[in-house]
Amino acid sequence: MNEQPGGPYPDLPYPDLMDRVVNLAKRRGFIFPSAEIYGGFRSTYDYGPLGVLMLRNVKDAWWRAMVQLRDDVVGIDAAILSSPKIWEASGHLANFTDPLVDCRHCHERWRADKIEGSCPNCGSTDLTEPRAFNLMFKTYAGPVEEDATVAYLRPETAQGMFVNFMNVLTTTRKKPPFGIAQVGKSFRNEITPQNFVFRTREFEQMEMEYFVPPDEADTWFHYWLDERMAWYLGLGIPEGKLRLRHHEADELSHYSAATADVEFHFPWGWDELEGIANRTDFDLKAHAEHSGERLEYFDQASGERYVPYVIEPAAGATRTMMAFLLAAYDEDEIGGERRTVLHLDPRLAPYQAAVLPLSKNDALVPLSREVLGLLQPVAVCDFDVTQSIGRRYRRQDEVGTPYCVTVDFESLEDRAVTVRDRDTTEQVRVPIDRVAEELAGRLRR
Ligand code: GAP
């Protein structure tokens, strides 16, 4: 994590952006602190009605780019609880540790590499010697709690792809270069979860393992750096808030020959959104050795047999959702009235449209429901009849809904509705029988 000279977000009128986004997320049903009625549970979060829509959109956008629009990547969904032999082979049992220190004064625990000699809580310098703390959550599979039944919650989705390498190869008949993608929950017993959903103990990852001939690894590493940067930019992260940072040799994980992080300019400075690594043949070789199975590719045409290298773009879905919220947050003035607006890409916004009857009038509501029925097949829609129309526009702007469709008294006469654009607030009149087509067209852009 690098602090920017001049402080974070010098270009923004609200230096407390993080508080505003956390507040909005809670107030509008994106993200709630978990178990709130019991006083919460440190750094765990529940995704509310809007959060679940947006998080799904983030994952769908990733899946679309990484799997659907390609013919060289397939998906899997591997078990979260699986054989502990996986973690022995991968090196996680031995290496997946953080250096932990205890403050002898206030008994808080810290990552030794994240503090500078004194306890950030009470300032005491009376700290224990660092000791290695394994980040994997340990549990027992079955009713007997003994060494033989120890299992771990996966700390990354990646290993599910490596252990299924031969299954995927033989069932899909793919040949390198090809990839296996997966989206799902991972768990790490982080010593200091922090910064809202940036670092939590339960989170979602979006990872892809791309298997390539060893001599092509460097080319594909750079290819995926470009692809992944383009994905974030294409979904609306401004160029000035995104950068690539190459790891120094002493920073590389035990499996990596090269790693670069896609970094986002968070309110506390530049920090990681995604790691892209050349994992070499480390994982396939390790699993081959530990399982006794051959994990190789045999090229029938050339008679060549080799262990592919792996290029891995590994992103966090929950962390990325937070970055999209931070990047989209804005406050401006419309017609002399201040509003909060999320300039989210329509593909990420929880609702793509809101249908708003001008009033609760008996005749307007049934017509509005008819419009809603026409739009629901092409867009996720909200339907809101409460409060003044101005207030309802503000409410939709605040959660990033790109289009409001208003049904007014004239609609009863001309069977047309008003479509309002969130960013420009421009309004156009569209016949009801063309409104679904109009909206679908706008959302495709
Ligand atoms: N398979 C490689 C791997 O897991 P990583 O850099 O440890 O690499 C990849 O994790 C991404 O997962 C990170 O860039 C981040 O977006 C997300 N991530 C990791 N730990 C996280 C945590 N505790 N909370 C939220 N997201 C996390």
Side-chain angles (χ1 to χ4, degrees):
M1 183 166 93
N2 308 317
E3 282 301 330
Q4 277 287 89
Y9 287 86
D11 50 334
L12 278 188
Y14 15 90
D16 59 344
L17 174 67
M18 188 73 181
D19 292 343
R20 292 183 195 218
V21 168
V22 172
N23 182 293
L24 172 70
K26 164 91 198 299
R27 192 162 36 80
R28 297 305 312 274
F30 284 82
I31 302 176
F32 307 123
S34 191
E36 222 183 352
I37 60 167
Y38 291 105
F41 189 65
R42 197 176 168 208
S43 295
T44 57
Y45 294 93
D46 297 338
Y47 288 73
L50 297 200
V52 83
L53 291 171
M54 184 172 170
L55 184 58
R56 176 174 295 198
N57 289 343
V58 170
K59 294 185 286 186
D60 283 352
W62 184 90
W63 192 268
R64 185 177 158 81
M66 300 297 278
V67 183
Q68 187 185 331
L69 297 180
R70 309 184 62 98
D71 63 2
D72 57 349
V73 179
V74 294
I76 64 162
D77 189 4
I80 288 174
L81 269 180
S82 187
S83 170
K85 289 180 182 162
I86 292 177
W87 310 111
E88 204 179 305
S90 67
H92 281 80
L93 270 172
N95 296 318
F96 198 55
T97 58
D98 276 341
L100 169 76
V101 292
D102 290 285
C103 170
R104 290 200 181 93
H105 185 69
C106 72
H107 307 294
E108 277 287 331
R109 296 186 149 173
W110 304 103
R111 263 177 72 171
D113 56 336
K114 296 280 177 190
I115 61 173
E116 284 170 16
S118 62
C119 172
N121 187 41
C122 70
S124 168
T125 51
D126 191 5
L127 306 173
T128 59
E129 282 302 306
R131 60 187 189 283
F133 170 74
N134 196 294
L135 297 182
M136 283 196 294
F137 276 101
K138 198 177 188 176
T139 186
Y140 297 91
V144 187
E145 295 193 6
E146 59 184 18
D147 285 355
T149 62
V150 164
Y152 300 91
L153 300 187
R154 68 178 177 202
E156 61 172 18
T157 61
Q159 299 302 323
M161 269 91 85
F162 298 128
V163 299
N164 279 294
F165 173 73
M166 290 310 289
N167 283 336
V168 173
L169 198 64
T170 51
T171 53
T172 63
R173 308 180 71 78
K174 294 279 176 209
K175 51 188 264 184
F178 82 99
I180 309 179
Q182 181 170 202
V183 174
K185 290 229 169 170
S186 292
F187 302 82
R188 297 181 189 178
N189 200 359
E190 300 280 1
I191 298 168
T192 44
Q194 61 188 349
N195 289 327
F196 196 35
V197 296
F198 178 82
R199 182 174 295 111
T200 48
R201 296 196 170 111
E202 173 179 347
F203 54 96
E204 277 197 85
Q205 289 188 306
M206 310 183 288
E207 299 196 290
M208 200 270 284
E209 310 303 324
Y210 198 70
F211 300 92
V212 303
D215 60 351
E216 295 177 18
D218 195 50
T219 307
W220 286 111
F221 176 65
H222 287 95
Y223 168 86
W224 282 110
L225 296 186
D226 294 345
E227 285 288 302
R228 296 304 304 146
M229 285 292 280
W231 185 78
Y232 292 98
L233 294 170
L235 285 168
I237 304 270
E239 244 173 82
K241 295 231 177 293
L242 204 66
R243 72 176 190 190
L244 260 185
R245 188 181 67 79
H246 288 266
H247 283 207
E248 302 292 336
D250 63 355
E251 227 188 311
L252 294 175
S253 310
H254 58 279
Y255 51 72
S256 172
T259 298
D261 289 342
V262 176
E263 291 191 334
F264 176 71
H265 192 197
F266 285 95
W268 58 89
W270 290 98
D271 218 334
E272 175 185 340
L273 271 186
E274 164 163 357
I276 298 153
N278 173 357
R279 295 183 71 125
T280 68
D281 53 9
F282 175 88
D283 302 275
L284 288 180
K285 278 194 169 153
H287 286 301
E289 194 185 309
H290 281 74
S291 66
E293 298 283 328
R294 268 189 157 173
L295 303 181
E296 300 170 336
Y297 174 68
F298 176 62
D299 188 340
Q300 276 177 334
S302 67
E304 195 193 357
R305 185 183 289 284
Y306 65 89
V307 180
Y309 268 37
V310 172
I311 308 303
E312 174 195 67
T318 37
R319 186 179 289 187
T320 297
M321 172 174 155
M322 174 178 161
F324 282 126
L325 284 174
L326 286 163
Y329 186 93
D330 196 11
E331 291 175 25
D332 61 10
E333 215 173 277
I334 298 293
E337 214 187 303
R338 279 200 75 71
R339 68 165 183 173
T340 298
V341 54
L342 292 182
H343 294 290
L344 287 171
D345 185 288
R347 290 166 291 181
L348 301 178
Y351 297 123
Q352 278 87 55
V355 177
L356 312 174
L358 190 65
S359 87
K360 276 188 194 159
N361 178 284
D362 283 351
L364 285 191
V365 173
L367 183 60
S368 305
R369 290 213 165 272
E370 186 188 326
V371 172
L372 178 69
L374 292 170
L375 294 183
Q376 277 171 329
V378 299
V380 178
C381 296
D382 192 13
F383 186 77
D384 189 2
V385 290
T386 56
Q387 300 185 318
S388 75
I389 192 71
R391 293 280 286 272
R392 280 182 279 161
Y393 284 152
R394 297 293 98 86
R395 281 176 60 76
Q396 295 299 332
D397 291 341
E398 194 182 41
V399 298
T401 308
Y403 300 108
C404 285
V405 178
T406 307
V407 181
D408 55 25
F409 290 100
E410 241 181 280
S411 308
L412 296 170
E413 310 296 322
D414 66 359
R415 283 193 62 82
V417 288
T418 302
V419 177
R420 170 188 178 270
D421 181 295
R422 172 197 69 199
D423 296 332
T424 62
T425 72
E426 251 170 41
Q427 306 194 5
V428 292
R429 201 80 185 153
V430 179
I432 287 176
D433 60 8
R434 286 225 322 269
V435 70
E437 193 189 329
E438 165 77 19
L439 193 69
R442 287 178 182 232
L443 293 172
R444 258 198 305 275
R445 255 178 246 150

